[in-house]
């Protein structure tokens, strides 16, 4: 397991210099949006938004904290660094339009390694029709740092915040939950096996789904389009990066409400359940606290129920209550359990 490919050719970063490296990594950039007037090549990008509102989000990814290059291919890392930012824009009922990418690397990395990283970035931009309009490169004393900033626009200028949930609203979630955590557990297990015996061959054949959800997550812009096509504007929304429990608590706190979620309504894929059984972890625990699913958690009005229940890949998992009733998970046995945020904590 290595950050380098097996090709014996290695080009040192200092052979290109900072600006030569930038030119080399961005030479195949395409522009997809008419709102991008000037991309890479000047002191700043020039953007002319169509909307009166502009959405901006930034993520910082640090080797050893947010990703492990023992099992994360650089191409997948570049792709994921983009899509997790696109997901933040989707969570505001928006579509991403432009990104900037800045990296800091040590001389442990070669030009070829960074080509792999940027091939994933270009692939994400192509897939989601987002323009790479700038960024920076710098040296690092050790490890890889990636900072991605994304600019987007809300659909029809209808920005959705976390603080709009109201009593009796339905709580909905896209896709399924817990798979990314199951994938992470599987990769960490294989890493431990490799560390103990470098000659061991990875056994990952039956884990394709959970591995893809961890290594190559997608931003649910299709859900934003689906809601728009069916004239549904969520009352609140957030993406699930730190676990379902953590995210619903954010919505409830900022909306000053409570909630009841139903355990038997949580969407969990069979492949996820099967993998978690190997680790003796309850699927509900992974769904609530695993994180990195990058699905959308949102609330809609009761009047939208007849429409929302027919939409593919969306599940109603509960409803909003008065703040005084608390934030609860209701088990199939009708037992109420207080929800607690036990997922990813960046400062822990």
């Amino acid at each position: 397991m290595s950050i380098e490919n097996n090709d014996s050719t290695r080009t040192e970063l200092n052979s290109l210099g900072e600006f030569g490296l930038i030119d080399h990594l961005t030479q195949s950039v395409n522009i997809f949006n008419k709102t991008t007037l000037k991309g890479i090549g000047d002191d700043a990008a020039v953007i002319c938004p169509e909307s009166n509102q502009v959405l901006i989000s930034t993520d910082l990814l640090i080797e050893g904290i947010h990703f492990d290059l023992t099992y994360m291919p650089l191409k997948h890392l570049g792709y994921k660094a983009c899509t997790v930012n696109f997901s933040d824009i989707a969570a505001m009922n928006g579509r991403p339009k432009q990104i900037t990418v800045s990296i800091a690397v040590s001389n442990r990395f070669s030009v070829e390694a960074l080509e792999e990283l940027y091939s994933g970035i270009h692939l994400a931009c192509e897939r989601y029709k987002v323009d790479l309009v700038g960024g920076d490169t710098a040296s690092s004393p050790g490890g890889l740092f990636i900072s991605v900033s994304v600019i987007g626009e809300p659909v029809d200028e209808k920005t959705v915040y976390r603080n709009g949930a109201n009593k009796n609203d339905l709580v909905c979630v896209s896709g399924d939950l817990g798979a990314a955590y199951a994938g992470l557990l599987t990769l960490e297990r294989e890493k431990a096996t490799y560390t103990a015996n470098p000659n061991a061959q990875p056994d990952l054949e039956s884990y394709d789904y959970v591995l893809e959800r961890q290594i190559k997550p997608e931003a649910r812009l299709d859900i934003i389009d689906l809601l728009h096509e069916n004239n549904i504007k969520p009352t609140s929304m957030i993406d699930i990066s730190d676990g379902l429990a953590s995210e619903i608590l954010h919505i409830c706190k900022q909306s000053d409400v409570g909630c009841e979620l139903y355990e038997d309504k949580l969407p969990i894929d069979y492949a996820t359940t099967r993998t978690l059984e190997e680790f003796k972890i309850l699927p509900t625990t992974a769904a609530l606290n695993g994180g990195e699913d990058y699905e959308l958690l949102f609330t809609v009005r009761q009047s939208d129920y007849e429409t929302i229940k027919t939409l593919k890949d969306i599940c109603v998992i509960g409803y909003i209550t008065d703040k005084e009733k608390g934030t609860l998970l209701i088990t199939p046995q009708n037992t109420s359990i207080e929800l607690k945020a036990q997922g990813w904590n960046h400062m822990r």
Side-chain angles (χ1 to χ4, degrees):
M1 294 184 178
S2 170
I3 63 171
E4 297 287 357
N5 56 38
N6 294 324
D7 192 336
S8 59
T9 302
R10 175 186 167 97
T11 307
E12 300 298 335
L13 298 179
N14 59 15
S15 69
L16 294 181
E18 179 185 1
F19 297 111
L21 180 62
I22 292 173
D23 289 342
H24 181 73
L25 296 175
T26 59
Q27 60 186 337
S28 61
V29 167
N30 294 315
I31 299 299
F32 303 102
N33 296 285
K34 63 182 180 181
T35 55
T36 301
L37 303 186
K38 179 65 177 179
I40 293 170
D42 223 306
D43 290 295
V46 181
I47 297 168
C48 183
E50 295 178 328
S51 170
N52 289 323
Q53 300 177 5
V54 176
L55 308 173
I56 302 173
S57 182
T58 299
D59 267 342
L60 176 64
L61 302 177
I62 302 171
E63 183 179 356
I65 302 294
H66 302 102
F67 60 89
D68 188 333
L69 291 178
T70 304
Y71 50 71
M72 172 63 86
L74 284 165
K75 184 174 183 178
H76 288 75
L77 176 61
Y79 189 90
K80 183 175 181 177
C82 294
T83 57
V84 300
N85 275 269
F86 300 165
S87 182
D88 286 332
I89 299 300
M92 303 294 290
N93 196 43
R95 296 189 181 101
K97 299 293 185 178
Q98 294 90 12
I99 60 166
T100 64
V101 178
S102 296
I103 61 172
V105 292
S106 69
N107 59 11
R108 159 171 150 249
F109 293 83
S110 67
V111 172
E112 289 76 19
L114 296 190
E115 286 175 347
E116 277 292 295
L117 178 72
Y118 269 77
S119 70
I121 293 170
H122 294 317
L123 181 61
C125 288
E126 173 75 29
R127 162 74 173 80
Y128 290 93
K129 305 305 178 189
V130 175
D131 299 335
L132 175 61
V133 297
D136 196 12
T137 63
S139 61
S140 146
L144 171 62
F145 299 76
I146 307 172
S147 177
V148 177
S149 294
V150 59
I151 300 166
E153 298 177 29
V155 176
D156 291 342
E157 299 193 13
K158 296 177 180 177
T159 304
V160 175
Y161 301 93
R162 300 177 181 181
N163 64 0
N166 300 295
K167 181 182 176 182
N168 295 325
D169 280 356
L170 304 174
V171 180
C172 305
V173 68
S174 67
D176 57 82
L177 306 175
Y181 182 59
L184 178 62
L185 291 173
T186 303
L187 289 167
E188 287 289 342
R189 180 177 63 189
E190 292 303 315
K191 177 185 176 181
T193 301
Y194 173 80
T195 302
N197 179 12
N199 295 318
Q201 294 298 312
D203 180 19
L204 301 173
E205 185 176 343
S206 61
Y207 301 95
D208 289 352
Y209 181 69
V210 297
L211 293 178
E212 183 172 5
R213 291 299 302 271
Q214 169 57 221
I215 291 178
K216 189 176 174 288
E218 301 290 352
R220 296 310 306 264
L221 293 166
D222 59 320
I223 297 297
I224 298 303
D225 292 337
L226 185 63
L227 295 173
H228 178 61
E229 291 163 6
N230 286 274
N231 297 313
I232 295 176
K233 181 190 175 185
T235 53
S236 67
M237 187 154 53
I238 191 171
D239 74 330
I240 302 176
S241 56
D242 301 330
L244 175 64
S246 176
E247 314 304 0
I248 190 62
L249 289 176
H250 283 310
I251 285 178
C252 288
K253 179 180 179 181
Q254 296 201 23
S255 299
D256 201 33
V257 294
C259 72
E260 288 189 2
L261 305 185
Y262 294 92
E263 183 179 7
D264 58 359
K265 298 295 184 183
L266 301 183
I268 302 172
D269 190 85
Y270 171 72
T272 302
T273 299
R274 186 188 62 211
T275 303
L276 292 170
E277 285 175 349
E278 298 177 14
F279 295 92
K280 296 180 171 53
I281 292 176
L282 293 174
T284 299
T285 300
L288 291 173
N289 305 308
E292 289 201 292
D293 289 310
Y294 297 104
E295 296 293 347
L296 294 176
L297 172 69
F298 57 97
T299 56
V300 298
R301 297 176 180 86
Q302 284 273 355
S303 57
D304 290 322
Y305 176 70
E306 291 301 321
T307 301
I308 206 78
K309 72 177 184 180
T310 68
L311 299 185
K312 182 180 178 182
D313 220 17
I314 293 176
C315 294
V316 178
I317 61 171
Y319 67 99
I320 298 297
T321 63
D322 287 325
K323 179 180 179 180
E324 292 71 25
K325 292 190 175 182
T327 51
L328 304 173
L329 177 72
I330 310 300
T331 70
Q333 295 75 34
N334 207 33
T335 301
S336 298
I337 302 172
E338 182 182 357
L339 288 166
K340 295 182 179 180
Q342 301 181 63
W344 174 257
N345 183 331
H346 294 271
M347 296 294 107
R348 186 161 57 209

